[in-house]
Amino acid sequence: MCTLAATMSTKLAVLGLVIEHPGYGYQLAQRLDERCGSWGWERTGVYGALDSLARDGHLYSREAKASGKSGRAAPRLVYEATQQGLDFFRSWMCSQSTPGPVRQELDLKLLFSRAEYLPTLVDQTWSHEQHCLNQLNRLTSTEHEHLHGTPLRPPSLRELGEQLQLDAEVRLLQVRIEWLRDVRNALREYLDTTAIRARHNQDV
């Protein structure tokens, strides 16, 4: 995801959280991490998003007393959505979503690789595959708990959205793992072929 797209996505996610329930920066960062931590957003990006949304007139802030027992903590800025922010969010929700390609750093390395780098890239595909497998195991365990750890009842809209997002992440990881194995096999085949050609040329 490019920087501009990532910044806009963070702003929209933070605005969505504030519309659901007003909160202060650290609290919103925690909620963002709980809701969509797999997107890889930095918590520090939440504060930048809040400042930008406030400058754009989509949020306003008010001071609220800290909830500590001593009452000595500094007051916090609690953010709430403005009508302009609600209208902006509604417009975004109703607009057509543009599909975007999923790109990773390894993909770029493959595009610009030379033969000397291929053994290293073979190792990197294996490392990436293990990472994806670990993520997949974690997500499928979470999915199992989500499906079987609650009483039978119709899911709330939020629960349904979270389940659909979880399913998307699982499927993308499964495809990525299969692709990484295909890449590794293709690179090894290329290395074997070039090694055979090199030996043949030496014998001629």
Side-chain angles (χ1 to χ4, degrees):
M1 185 183 297
C2 71
T3 304
L4 181 61
T7 301
M8 179 55 70
S9 296
T10 306
K11 288 171 62 175
L12 290 166
V14 170
L15 180 57
L17 289 173
V18 173
I19 290 172
E20 284 183 3
H21 187 71
Y24 55 90
Y26 180 75
Q27 186 183 65
L28 290 166
Q30 286 183 310
R31 288 168 56 196
L32 181 66
D33 191 47
E34 291 168 2
R35 183 74 67 87
C36 41
S38 62
W39 285 60
W41 287 321
E42 295 290 338
R43 284 195 173 189
T44 53
V46 172
Y47 298 99
L50 288 169
D51 290 341
S52 180
L53 288 164
R55 284 196 304 270
D56 294 340
H58 299 322
L59 297 181
Y60 71 92
S61 61
R62 57 178 175 80
E63 285 192 355
K65 290 183 178 180
S67 57
K69 293 181 180 179
S70 65
R72 296 177 181 174
R76 294 167 171 158
L77 290 179
V78 174
Y79 291 87
E80 297 187 28
T82 63
Q83 186 59 51
Q84 181 179 330
L86 293 171
D87 293 341
F88 175 79
F89 191 78
R90 185 182 298 107
S91 175
W92 169 69
M93 286 293 292
C94 296
S95 65
Q96 184 66 35
S97 299
T98 304
V102 177
R103 294 287 181 261
Q104 297 192 22
E105 187 179 6
L106 177 62
D107 305 8
L108 192 61
K109 290 181 178 181
L110 290 168
L111 283 172
F112 294 97
S113 181
R114 298 201 302 265
E116 62 186 286
Y117 302 130
L118 294 187
T120 299
L121 293 182
V122 167
D123 292 340
Q124 288 187 28
T125 60
W126 184 88
S127 177
H128 277 234
E129 181 185 337
Q130 300 311 303
H131 176 74
C132 290
L133 285 169
N134 289 337
Q135 284 187 299
L136 185 60
N137 290 334
R138 178 180 59 80
L139 288 175
T140 50
S141 174
T142 303
E143 183 178 39
H144 178 81
E145 292 173 1
H146 184 84
L147 289 174
H148 304 289
T150 57
L152 292 176
R153 59 172 176 77
S156 67
L157 187 55
R158 172 177 169 177
E159 289 170 338
L160 177 61
E162 290 175 350
Q163 183 58 45
L164 292 172
Q165 178 63 32
L166 179 61
D167 184 56
E169 291 176 39
V170 168
R171 295 189 189 193
L172 286 171
L173 282 169
Q174 290 170 336
V175 171
R176 184 75 181 179
I177 289 167
E178 182 178 353
W179 179 80
L180 286 166
R181 290 171 179 171
D182 289 343
V183 169
R184 189 159 60 253
N185 290 334
L187 294 181
R188 284 173 172 166
E189 183 177 344
Y190 181 90
L191 286 169
D192 291 342
T193 302
T194 52
I196 292 172
R197 287 176 181 170
R199 285 196 297 270
H200 175 74
N201 291 335
Q202 288 175 350
D203 295 339
V204 172

Short mmCIF file of all heavy atoms in Angstrom, two decimals, residues 131-141 169-171 173-174 177:
data_model
loop_
_atom_site.label_atom_id
_atom_site.label_comp_id
_atom_site.label_asym_id
_atom_site.label_seq_id
_atom_site.Cartn_x
_atom_site.Cartn_y
_atom_site.Cartn_z
N HIS A 131 6.61 -17.43 7.84
CA HIS A 131 5.91 -16.30 8.46
C HIS A 131 4.41 -16.38 8.16
O HIS A 131 3.58 -16.19 9.05
CB HIS A 131 6.49 -14.98 7.94
CG HIS A 131 5.78 -13.76 8.43
ND1 HIS A 131 5.90 -13.28 9.73
CD2 HIS A 131 4.91 -12.92 7.81
CE1 HIS A 131 5.14 -12.21 9.88
NE2 HIS A 131 4.53 -11.96 8.73
N CYS A 132 4.08 -16.66 6.91
CA CYS A 132 2.68 -16.78 6.52
C CYS A 132 1.99 -17.95 7.22
O CYS A 132 0.83 -17.85 7.63
CB CYS A 132 2.55 -16.95 5.00
SG CYS A 132 2.96 -15.47 4.06
N LEU A 133 2.72 -19.06 7.36
CA LEU A 133 2.15 -20.22 8.06
C LEU A 133 1.87 -19.91 9.51
O LEU A 133 0.84 -20.32 10.06
CB LEU A 133 3.11 -21.42 7.94
CG LEU A 133 3.15 -22.12 6.58
CD1 LEU A 133 4.33 -23.10 6.52
CD2 LEU A 133 1.83 -22.85 6.33
N ASN A 134 2.78 -19.18 10.15
CA ASN A 134 2.57 -18.79 11.55
C ASN A 134 1.34 -17.89 11.68
O ASN A 134 0.52 -18.05 12.59
CB ASN A 134 3.80 -18.08 12.10
CG ASN A 134 4.98 -19.01 12.29
OD1 ASN A 134 4.79 -20.22 12.44
ND2 ASN A 134 6.18 -18.48 12.27
N GLN A 135 1.22 -16.92 10.75
CA GLN A 135 0.05 -16.05 10.75
C GLN A 135 -1.23 -16.85 10.52
O GLN A 135 -2.25 -16.61 11.16
CB GLN A 135 0.19 -14.98 9.68
CG GLN A 135 1.15 -13.86 10.01
CD GLN A 135 1.09 -12.77 8.96
OE1 GLN A 135 1.39 -13.01 7.79
NE2 GLN A 135 0.70 -11.57 9.36
N LEU A 136 -1.16 -17.79 9.58
CA LEU A 136 -2.33 -18.60 9.25
C LEU A 136 -2.77 -19.44 10.45
O LEU A 136 -3.96 -19.53 10.76
CB LEU A 136 -2.01 -19.50 8.06
CG LEU A 136 -3.16 -20.33 7.51
CD1 LEU A 136 -4.31 -19.44 7.03
CD2 LEU A 136 -2.67 -21.22 6.37
N ASN A 137 -1.81 -20.02 11.14
CA ASN A 137 -2.14 -20.82 12.32
C ASN A 137 -2.79 -19.96 13.40
O ASN A 137 -3.74 -20.38 14.06
CB ASN A 137 -0.88 -21.48 12.88
CG ASN A 137 -0.37 -22.59 11.98
OD1 ASN A 137 -1.14 -23.20 11.23
ND2 ASN A 137 0.92 -22.87 12.04
N ARG A 138 -2.26 -18.74 13.57
CA ARG A 138 -2.83 -17.84 14.57
C ARG A 138 -4.25 -17.44 14.19
O ARG A 138 -5.16 -17.44 15.04
CB ARG A 138 -1.95 -16.60 14.71
CG ARG A 138 -2.48 -15.56 15.69
CD ARG A 138 -1.55 -14.36 15.78
NE ARG A 138 -1.37 -13.70 14.50
CZ ARG A 138 -2.23 -12.84 13.98
NH1 ARG A 138 -3.36 -12.54 14.62
NH2 ARG A 138 -1.99 -12.27 12.81
N LEU A 139 -4.46 -17.11 12.92
CA LEU A 139 -5.77 -16.66 12.48
C LEU A 139 -6.81 -17.78 12.51
O LEU A 139 -7.95 -17.56 12.89
CB LEU A 139 -5.69 -16.08 11.07
CG LEU A 139 -4.99 -14.72 10.94
CD1 LEU A 139 -4.87 -14.33 9.48
CD2 LEU A 139 -5.74 -13.65 11.72
N THR A 140 -6.41 -18.98 12.10
CA THR A 140 -7.37 -20.08 12.10
C THR A 140 -7.72 -20.49 13.53
O THR A 140 -8.84 -20.91 13.80
CB THR A 140 -6.83 -21.29 11.32
OG1 THR A 140 -5.50 -21.61 11.79
CG2 THR A 140 -6.77 -20.99 9.84
N SER A 141 -6.78 -20.32 14.46
CA SER A 141 -7.09 -20.57 15.87
C SER A 141 -8.08 -19.53 16.38
O SER A 141 -9.04 -19.85 17.07
CB SER A 141 -5.80 -20.52 16.70
OG SER A 141 -6.10 -20.62 18.08
N GLU A 169 -8.39 -12.61 5.23
CA GLU A 169 -6.97 -12.73 5.59
C GLU A 169 -6.50 -14.17 5.47
O GLU A 169 -5.40 -14.44 4.99
CB GLU A 169 -6.76 -12.21 7.01
CG GLU A 169 -6.95 -10.71 7.15
CD GLU A 169 -6.83 -10.26 8.60
OE1 GLU A 169 -5.96 -10.81 9.30
OE2 GLU A 169 -7.58 -9.39 9.03
N VAL A 170 -7.33 -15.11 5.92
CA VAL A 170 -6.97 -16.53 5.85
C VAL A 170 -6.79 -16.95 4.40
O VAL A 170 -5.81 -17.61 4.03
CB VAL A 170 -8.05 -17.39 6.54
CG1 VAL A 170 -7.86 -18.88 6.21
CG2 VAL A 170 -8.00 -17.18 8.05
N ARG A 171 -7.72 -16.56 3.55
CA ARG A 171 -7.65 -16.98 2.14
C ARG A 171 -6.46 -16.35 1.43
O ARG A 171 -5.81 -17.01 0.60
CB ARG A 171 -8.95 -16.63 1.43
CG ARG A 171 -10.14 -17.41 1.99
CD ARG A 171 -11.38 -17.23 1.14
NE ARG A 171 -12.55 -17.80 1.78
CZ ARG A 171 -13.70 -18.02 1.16
NH1 ARG A 171 -13.84 -17.70 -0.12
NH2 ARG A 171 -14.72 -18.54 1.80
N LEU A 173 -3.64 -15.49 2.77
CA LEU A 173 -2.43 -16.18 3.25
C LEU A 173 -2.30 -17.54 2.58
O LEU A 173 -1.18 -17.95 2.21
CB LEU A 173 -2.49 -16.35 4.77
CG LEU A 173 -2.14 -15.10 5.59
CD1 LEU A 173 -2.49 -15.32 7.06
CD2 LEU A 173 -0.67 -14.75 5.45
N GLN A 174 -3.38 -18.25 2.42
CA GLN A 174 -3.33 -19.56 1.77
C GLN A 174 -2.84 -19.44 0.33
O GLN A 174 -2.01 -20.23 -0.12
CB GLN A 174 -4.72 -20.21 1.80
CG GLN A 174 -5.14 -20.66 3.18
CD GLN A 174 -6.61 -21.08 3.25
OE1 GLN A 174 -7.43 -20.66 2.44
NE2 GLN A 174 -6.94 -21.92 4.23
N ILE A 177 0.96 -18.51 0.37
CA ILE A 177 1.80 -19.67 0.69
C ILE A 177 1.97 -20.55 -0.54
O ILE A 177 3.08 -20.98 -0.87
CB ILE A 177 1.18 -20.47 1.85
CG1 ILE A 177 1.31 -19.69 3.16
CG2 ILE A 177 1.85 -21.85 1.99
CD1 ILE A 177 0.47 -20.23 4.29
#
